[in-house]
Amino acid sequence: IKGMLDLLKSCLYDKDRDVRKAAVKALIDLVKVVPGEQIRETLDLLNPCLYDKERDVRSAVAGVVSNLASISKVVPVKRIKEILDLLKPLLADKDKYVRAVAAFVVSTLGSKIPEGEIKAILTMLKPWLSDKDKDVRKATINALKHLVKVVPMEQIQDILNLLKSCLYDKDKDVSYAAVDTLRDSVKVAPVEQIQDILNLLKSFLS
C-alpha cells in the first residue's frame, strides 16, 4: 500500500490533468483497503487537489472523502472532523458542480458528524441555499434532510429557519425538496415545533 501511495503522490502533481484526475480516482478505490494507520497520509495527499485548476480533479476528491466516510471499520468517527476539514474548501468552490458534489457528500455523513461540528456545517451550507444554480440549492436541501435526523433537538430550529426561505424558491423542484425535508422533520422535531412546521406546510400547499 505504501508503495502505491508514493506512486499516486507523484501523479497528483503531474502537469497533465487527466493523469491527476486518474490518480484521485485511483485513491477512491484504494481507500477501501488502506490500513487505519495510513488514512492520515491518504488525506494529506488530497490537500493540493482541493485547489487544482481543473474542476473534475477537485470534485473527484469528494469521491474519496465519500468512500472514507462510508467505511466505518476503516475510518473511526473521530476522524470525521478531518474529513469535514477537507470538504470545507469544496463547499466554497467557485464551480457550482463541485459545490453540489460537496453538499451531497456532507449529507451522506449523517450521524457520523460530531455534534460540535453541526453548527459549523450549517453555517457553511446556508449560502448555497441561495446559490444561482438550482442543482446546488437542491443538493444543499438534501444535506439538510439528512442532518435534521441527527442534530440535537435544540438545533432543529436552525434547520427549519434555513428551510423557510426555500419553500418559495423560483424553481419548483427546489420548493418541493424543501417541503419533503420539512415533512421528515416532523418525525424528529420537539412537540412544541411540530405545529409551526405544519403551519408552514399548510401555508405553502394552500
Side-chain angles (χ1 to χ4, degrees), residues 69-202:
S70 66
I71 309 171
S72 57
K73 66 178 181 179
V74 174
V75 186
V77 174
K78 66 181 181 181
R79 197 159 279 135
I80 294 297
K81 186 179 185 304
E82 297 173 343
I83 292 174
L84 292 176
D85 287 340
L86 269 178
L87 283 173
K88 286 176 183 178
L90 301 180
L91 284 168
D93 197 273
K94 63 183 179 181
D95 187 278
K96 65 182 182 181
Y97 174 73
V98 177
R99 297 196 301 272
V101 170
F104 173 76
V105 175
V106 169
S107 76
T108 66
L109 293 176
S111 60
K112 296 180 181 180
I113 296 179
E115 286 189 8
E117 287 296 302
I118 291 176
K119 190 173 184 65
I121 289 299
L122 292 179
T123 299
M124 283 188 288
L125 292 177
K126 183 177 180 179
W128 308 128
L129 291 172
S130 56
D131 194 277
K132 63 182 179 181
D133 186 84
K134 67 177 183 180
D135 291 330
V136 174
R137 299 197 301 275
K138 284 172 60 179
T140 305
I141 291 174
N142 187 49
L144 294 176
K145 182 177 182 179
H146 288 265
L147 287 173
V148 77
K149 299 173 184 177
V150 299
V151 298
M153 286 284 191
E154 62 270 18
Q155 289 186 313
I156 289 179
Q157 187 60 52
D158 293 336
I159 292 181
L160 297 182
N161 289 339
L162 293 178
L163 289 171
K164 286 178 184 178
S165 62
C166 305
L167 278 175
Y168 299 96
D169 192 277
K170 60 185 177 182
D171 184 90
K172 66 178 182 180
D173 290 336
V174 175
S175 293
Y176 289 140
V179 168
D180 190 45
T181 300
L182 282 170
R183 284 173 176 164
D184 277 4
S185 68
V186 171
K187 303 173 186 176
V188 295
V191 174
E192 63 270 19
Q193 291 180 336
I194 291 178
Q195 190 57 53
D196 290 340
I197 297 171
L198 294 177
N199 289 340
L200 278 174
L201 292 173
K202 182 178 179 181

